[in-house]
Amino acid sequence: MKSLGIGLIGTGYMGKCHALAWNAVAPTFGDVARPRLVHLGEANEALAAQKAAELGFARASGDWRAVVEDPEVDVVSITTPNQFHAEMTIAALQAGKHVWCEKPMATSEADALAMLEAAEASGKVAALGYNYIQNPAIRHMSGLIGQGAIGMVNHVRVEMDEDFMADAAAPFGWKSEAASGYGALDDFAVHPLSLLSVLVGRITSVVVDMAKPYAERPLASGGSRAVETHDIANILFRLESGASGSLLVNRSAWGRKGRIAIQIFGSEGSLLYDQERMNELQLFQARGPVAERGFRTILTGTAHPPYDRFIPAPGHGLGFNDLKVIEARELMRRIAGEPAHLIEFATGLQIERAVHAMARSHEVRGWVDVPE
């Protein structure tokens, strides 16, 4: 596998995460050439130069187009605010680059479709940043479901809660602007939707109610501005298999930091997982003496690959950034023509269509089918 030249656009929370992953993937897995950090793009030259020095990129630019057009760049990591994903991704693909774009795919279904069409026309790999599916615990849950460990899945219940929008006194920011999307649905709920896609399959119909806990937020310059997005969404859904489910998301839930609580119920047992305890899952099987049945906790370790590529002992735990390293390795495998465990743009478009169907359901106050 040849060394890939990396371009990075955006150096906030996820931009730094991508840079750390590109730096760590070769020493972690040992079977890939170390990527070359070629070109970093930011909003201005000064910030770009500062971040390039911090993160180890050879060149910096205050114009993202320079990154896309750089002949030494093979892969572009796009980690900008949501509303810029489509333009940057399409430009990168048209320039002959592979793309690793953070979620959500885009702020409109039309833009997401245009991104998929650009990817198909380019022949390049286009993947989305859904690193939670890389967790060894989630991979093991998927394997257990596939093996029939809990029988036929008949109901799924998911809750995702964080409190980064919980403070009513926090100033108005871009996540409260309509330009960023619907709010909790596309900025937030796409993560559990990605997990559902690999665990239990496609959502086919939804009914949704959304809410704004705060009607307005203060402006740093004084006064206030009306909040244009919804920080809470309550969703009922049906899966292609016929199973029912619910998804509750809230990005203004005081005390919750990174919670994605998944309960999957089957005809012969249940599986439980919570992202705030991301190195374990719980399994119940309706087997054996009734008096001795109960949930058992499975702690991830070297028996749950690729945990073993990070730590040689169980119980020490992986973290969020480690999942990004795994995702980088999967992307490199895909670029090399190998099978890979990724959310590519075709599956990403299914997630986007589910999100937009949810928004339509809220508008019409009823059930809406999710197009294939």
Side-chain angles (χ1 to χ4, degrees):
M1 187 180 292
K2 79 180 188 74
S3 176
L4 295 170
I6 307 302
L8 173 65
I9 305 174
T11 60
Y13 171 25
M14 292 312 302
K16 182 175 182 178
C17 188
H18 275 235
L20 292 172
W22 286 124
N23 274 305
V25 64
T28 299
F29 285 91
D31 59 356
V32 294
R34 183 182 291 273
R36 294 171 290 109
L37 305 188
V38 173
H39 203 150
L40 180 149
E42 251 300 348
N44 59 67
E45 296 287 347
L47 180 59
Q50 174 193 335
K51 292 299 182 180
E54 290 175 5
L55 300 174
F57 280 80
R59 289 192 289 282
S61 177
D63 183 354
W64 65 265
R65 293 171 185 82
V67 177
V68 167
E69 295 165 1
D70 191 324
E72 293 186 31
V73 169
D74 300 302
V75 185
V76 179
S77 279
I78 297 172
T79 66
T80 57
N82 308 342
Q83 59 265 40
F84 304 119
H85 289 180
E87 181 185 7
M88 293 175 176
T89 292
I90 291 170
L93 290 165
Q94 290 176 342
K97 315 300 185 186
H98 304 289
V99 168
W100 187 12
C101 178
E102 269 308 306
K103 63 82 196 164
M105 194 169 175
T107 55
S108 76
E109 189 173 345
D111 279 349
L113 179 58
M115 291 166 71
L116 174 60
E117 290 172 345
E120 292 175 340
S122 72
K124 297 298 180 179
V125 175
L128 292 160
Y130 284 115
N131 55 315
Y132 292 155
I133 73 166
Q134 306 298 343
N135 189 337
I138 295 295
R139 290 183 177 211
H140 191 60
M141 285 178 69
S142 180
L144 289 170
I145 293 167
Q147 296 161 18
I150 62 169
M152 183 72 70
V153 172
N154 51 46
H155 184 70
V156 181
R157 192 176 302 155
V158 186
E159 298 175 25
M160 182 172 185
D161 304 298
E162 294 187 21
D163 64 2
F164 64 91
M165 303 285 282
D167 187 353
F172 188 98
W174 68 267
K175 284 181 181 283
S176 293
E177 291 182 348
S180 71
Y182 302 117
L185 279 183
D186 44 356
D187 178 53
F188 202 60
V190 290
H191 269 308
L193 290 175
S194 74
L195 292 168
L196 290 173
S197 74
V198 299
L199 291 171
V200 293
R202 192 176 75 86
I203 290 174
T204 57
S205 58
V206 295
V207 63
V208 179
D209 179 65
M210 294 192 289
K212 298 177 183 179
Y214 311 117
E216 59 184 31
R217 285 189 178 276
L219 293 170
S221 57
S224 63
R225 178 173 167 180
V227 171
E228 299 164 357
T229 56
H230 295 83
D231 295 330
I232 298 170
N234 305 301
I235 303 142
L236 298 178
F237 61 82
R238 286 283 179 179
L239 294 168
E240 198 164 35
S241 65
S244 63
S246 64
L247 170 59
L248 310 178
V249 295
N250 184 354
R251 57 184 190 178
S252 59
W254 275 120
R256 294 299 188 186
K257 304 304 178 184
R259 184 171 188 254
I260 306 179
I262 303 172
Q263 299 184 80
I264 301 176
F265 302 102
S267 58
E268 299 174 21
S270 303
L271 281 163
L272 276 59
Y273 169 83
D274 191 331
Q275 181 75 13
E276 289 185 341
R277 301 180 66 90
M278 62 178 286
N279 287 282
E280 64 184 50
L281 63 137
Q282 292 182 297
L283 170 65
F284 178 92
Q285 292 177 297
R287 301 175 186 172
V290 173
E292 297 173 7
R293 292 180 185 177
F295 281 96
R296 67 178 186 268
T297 298
I298 299 171
L299 189 63
T300 53
T302 55
H304 306 98
Y307 178 105
D308 57 307
R309 306 312 293 263
F310 294 85
I311 308 169
H316 289 61
L318 301 189
F320 179 89
N321 286 346
D322 296 323
L323 305 188
K324 214 66 187 175
V325 177
I326 301 170
E327 191 172 56
R329 175 65 182 96
E330 294 295 324
L331 177 61
M332 295 177 76
R333 290 184 61 188
R334 181 68 179 84
I335 290 170
E338 303 171 19
H341 184 60
L342 284 170
I343 302 276
E344 296 187 57
F345 277 17
T347 302
L349 181 60
Q350 291 179 3
I351 293 172
E352 296 298 316
R353 284 177 168 161
V355 165
H356 294 299
M358 291 171 186
R360 286 193 293 274
S361 170
H362 175 73
E363 290 177 3
V364 303
R365 316 304 294 169
W367 282 90
V368 170
D369 290 336
V370 180
E372 292 189 43

